[in-house]
């Protein structure tokens, strides 16, 4: 565990986020920077940019990692709040870098990419990684409950994901899990 943990935030890259998602993402970035933790995202727009902007808003020198990839030809580089770009070859390496380098994962709102990140983090933790996985928002419990009802997901595996409603609750969950290692 790093002295200053790295918190990976996953969410939509859509530049037109619902207002509540954009605000939640920015407040999360601010809260992470306020703890002097490092923020890691995929480095582009949407939730990633909003969280990065929040960290920068709290402290212009906050450590904001953007793990980008060479496969997105339509993107010209990371968002302007990233001060540590880590370019990866291919999408799998990008996601792997975020999983490996982070001490905790936070999911907000997103699409298929966010779900891929959820499933990979969930699987890694369920099979032995000791890292917190927190999902913020009202959309997570219905989704996870439906999957558990229809698929082979035990209560123990389901309990790996801490679902909360607010940024404040997410930060409390992260502090609780990370504090013994700090």
């Amino acid at each position: 565990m790093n002295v200053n943990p790295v918190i990976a935030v996953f969410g939509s890259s859509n530049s037109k986020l619902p207002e509540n998602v954009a605000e939640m993402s920015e407040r999360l970035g601010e809260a992470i920077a306020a703890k002097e933790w490092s923020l890691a995202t995929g480095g582009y727009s949407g939730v990633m940019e909003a969280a990065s902007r929040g960290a920068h808003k709290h402290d212009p020198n906050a450590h904001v990692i953007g793990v980008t990839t060479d496969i997105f030809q339509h993107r010209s580089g990371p968002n302007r709040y990233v001060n540590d770009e880590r370019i990866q070859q291919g999408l799998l390496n990008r996601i792997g870098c975020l999983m490996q380098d982070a001490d905790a994962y936070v999911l907000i709102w997103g699409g298929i990419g966010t779900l891929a990140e959820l499933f990979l983090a969930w699987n890694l933790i369920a099979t032995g990684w000791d890292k917190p996985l927190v999902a913020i928002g009202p959309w997570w419990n219905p989704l996870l409950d439906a999957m558990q009802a229809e698929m082979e997901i035990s209560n123990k595996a389901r309990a790996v994901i801490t679902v909360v409603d607010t940024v404040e609750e997410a930060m409390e969950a992260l502090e609780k899990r990370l504090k013994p290692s700090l």
Side-chain angles (χ1 to χ4, degrees), residues 111-134:
I112 194 165
T114 305
L115 291 175
E117 293 152 346
L118 161 67
F119 290 129
L120 182 55
W122 191 5
N123 191 283
L124 290 169
I125 294 166
T127 57
W129 283 29
D130 186 23
K131 297 182 181 188
L133 174 57
V134 179

Side-chain angles (χ1 to χ4, degrees), residues 88-141:
Q88 299 297 307
Q89 301 299 309
L91 191 57
L92 293 177
N93 288 334
R94 176 184 183 224
I95 294 171
C97 180
L98 283 160
M99 293 295 157
Q100 186 69 41
D101 292 352
D103 298 299
Y105 314 109
V106 180
L107 295 129
I108 299 190
W109 174 87
I112 194 165
T114 305
L115 291 175
E117 293 152 346
L118 161 67
F119 290 129
L120 182 55
W122 191 5
N123 191 283
L124 290 169
I125 294 166
T127 57
W129 283 29
D130 186 23
K131 297 182 181 188
L133 174 57
V134 179
I136 309 173
W139 38 83
W140 292 108
N141 273 324

Side-chain angles (χ1 to χ4, degrees), residues 10-102:
F10 300 113
S12 175
S13 64
N14 188 334
S15 59
K16 294 183 182 189
L17 295 173
E19 187 174 323
N20 64 327
V21 172
E23 189 232 332
M24 181 187 304
S25 303
E26 189 168 322
R27 286 190 310 113
L28 179 62
E30 281 186 79
I32 290 169
K35 293 287 181 193
E36 297 183 357
W37 296 346
S38 296
L39 169 68
T41 71
Y44 296 116
S45 57
V47 165
M48 299 173 278
E49 183 170 7
S52 300
R53 181 175 50 251
H56 183 80
K57 181 177 171 184
H58 177 78
D59 178 359
N61 297 312
H63 189 204
V64 180
I65 303 163
V67 183
T68 60
T69 181
D70 59 345
I71 68 165
F72 297 129
Q73 302 302 322
H74 64 285
R75 295 182 175 157
S76 61
N79 70 66
R80 66 186 176 144
Y81 306 104
V82 168
N83 56 26
D84 182 359
E85 182 181 16
R86 300 180 185 175
I87 302 169
Q88 299 297 307
Q89 301 299 309
L91 191 57
L92 293 177
N93 288 334
R94 176 184 183 224
I95 294 171
C97 180
L98 283 160
M99 293 295 157
Q100 186 69 41
D101 292 352

